[in-house]
Amino acid sequence: MPAAPVQFGQYPPARRTLLHISDTHLLAGGRPLSDQFDTGLNLARTLEAAEATGIRPDAIVFTGDLTDLGESEAYAALRAAVEPWAERLGAPVVWVAGNHDERPALRRTLLDLEPTEEPVTGVWDLDGLRLIALDSTVPGWHHGDLDDAQLTWLREMLATPAPLGTILALHHPPLPSHVPLFDILELRDQGRLAEVIAGTDVRAILAGHLHYSTSGTFAGVPVSVAAATCYTMNLARPAVDVNGMDAGQSFHLVHVYDDTITHAVVPVVEAPTGDYFSAEWVERMSRLTPEERLEGFSRKPS
């Protein structure tokens, strides 16, 4: 049995770890999105990069816009790409609906459910960490909303706290955007959601939709938005001129600790990296006392 890892700092290892991926926008037949973005290839690169981290997550969360047009063939291609990969990682996949998705095809092809317009929601118990998927989509529209029935259901779920707290996942983030087009397509009537989660054990909200990574707080709860795998928004422009680019794709590593949750942005990029730090280096550091580690690594040269 391997020895327990040495704790180098004041925080013990994370209690739970999630992979947060968003906005895959697959099209049937592998067609390029907008005739320029190879969404299938970009997804494959993202999955490869996530697996290369060596993380074995407790869950993998896809926060919506799984397909671009809601085509059954596109959902089937997504499932064929993700399920064997998730099985290797030993983690359940949480599919969240986005405004480009169509509930009937998503339910039938990804979830093996009746192809209805019922919201795509769910609850997962990750050994004490509760993950709740909400459906902020509005059939026939691109803006977001949460209906009364869904908010009532959420209120009932949150009435009983979970041992490690709750994370919510939905597509439309309850945050402002400095890009005008996203404010038009925002989650509407956000005050109703704020009222439901106030005073509950909700510790974080995961979202997508924006095609760029950002974060903020909503009703006192941290919100983390993952960028897209298909294409991202080029924010190095005036807000009124922001458009998509085939660069900057990333995913998030979510680490859940006792008193905090971190959201690390992991770029999907090929670039030369150094080789100073390694498993051998960590093992060597683990053999030292805390004082020796500080002396050998923290002290600046004279």
Side-chain angles (χ1 to χ4, degrees), residues 92-115:
V93 178
V94 177
W95 301 113
V96 177
N99 53 284
H100 278 265
D101 292 305
E102 297 295 338
R103 289 174 177 173
L106 190 164
R107 291 170 64 87
R108 179 181 60 242
T109 312
L110 286 184
L111 304 177
D112 298 323
L113 298 174
E114 287 297 313

Side-chain angles (χ1 to χ4, degrees), residues 140-157:
W141 300 84
H142 281 299
H143 67 267
D145 205 353
L146 295 168
D147 60 25
D148 291 338
Q150 199 170 161
L151 289 173
T152 298
W153 171 78
L154 177 62
R155 190 189 302 274
E156 292 171 353
M157 288 293 104

Side-chain angles (χ1 to χ4, degrees), residues 151 155 189-200 218-219:
L151 289 173
R155 190 189 302 274
D189 297 323
Q190 295 178 17
R192 299 196 306 153
L193 176 61
E195 182 183 353
V196 170
I197 68 175
T200 68
F218 173 74

Side-chain angles (χ1 to χ4, degrees), residues 38-289:
D38 190 337
T39 59
L41 178 60
N42 288 343
L43 171 62
R45 288 172 173 167
T46 301
L47 300 184
E48 181 181 359
E51 188 169 1
T53 67
I55 296 292
R56 294 299 176 260
D58 295 280
I60 302 159
V61 186
F62 285 79
T63 48
D65 281 1
L66 310 171
T67 68
D68 193 62
L69 297 175
E71 302 159 301
S72 292
E73 184 182 340
Y75 287 118
L78 179 63
R79 187 171 185 175
V82 170
E83 284 193 346
W85 167 82
E87 187 174 349
R88 288 198 301 274
L89 270 57
V93 178
V94 177
W95 301 113
V96 177
N99 53 284
H100 278 265
D101 292 305
E102 297 295 338
R103 289 174 177 173
L106 190 164
R107 291 170 64 87
R108 179 181 60 242
T109 312
L110 286 184
L111 304 177
D112 298 323
L113 298 174
E114 287 297 313
T116 69
E117 287 286 0
E118 287 296 308
V120 179
T121 60
V123 183
W124 288 259
D125 178 3
L126 307 176
D127 259 346
L129 175 68
R130 180 167 54 194
L131 176 61
I132 298 179
L134 301 174
D135 189 339
S136 60
T137 68
V138 181
W141 300 84
H142 281 299
H143 67 267
D145 205 353
L146 295 168
D147 60 25
D148 291 338
Q150 199 170 161
L151 289 173
T152 298
W153 171 78
L154 177 62
R155 190 189 302 274
E156 292 171 353
M157 288 293 104
L158 296 177
T160 303
L164 297 180
T166 297
I167 292 179
L168 303 182
L170 76 168
H171 183 64
H172 298 79
L175 290 178
S177 172
H178 74 287
V179 181
L181 71 94
F182 287 118
D183 274 350
I184 299 172
L185 305 179
E186 69 182 355
L187 180 70
R188 298 170 66 87
D189 297 323
Q190 295 178 17
R192 299 196 306 153
L193 176 61
E195 182 183 353
V196 170
I197 68 175
T200 68
D201 71 342
V202 174
R203 301 181 60 190
I205 298 173
L206 309 182
H209 188 51
L210 302 183
H211 289 237
Y212 65 87
S213 296
T214 189
S215 61
T217 57
F218 173 74
V221 176
V223 180
S224 178
V225 180
T229 70
C230 61
Y231 68 86
T232 68
M233 305 306 285
N234 186 354
L235 299 186
R237 287 181 166 200
V240 294
D241 291 326
V242 166
N243 278 271
M245 62 179 180
D246 197 3
Q249 288 89 347
S250 63
F251 61 94
H252 286 187
L253 290 178
V254 182
H255 287 92
V256 179
Y257 298 89
D258 286 335
D259 299 316
T260 191
I261 299 178
T262 63
H263 307 262
V265 180
V266 184
V268 180
V269 63
E270 293 183 11
T273 57
D275 59 2
Y276 180 80
F277 303 108
S278 65
E280 185 278 330
W281 183 89
V282 171
E283 196 277 331
R284 181 157 41 89
M285 286 290 113
S286 73
R287 297 198 303 266
L288 304 179
T289 66

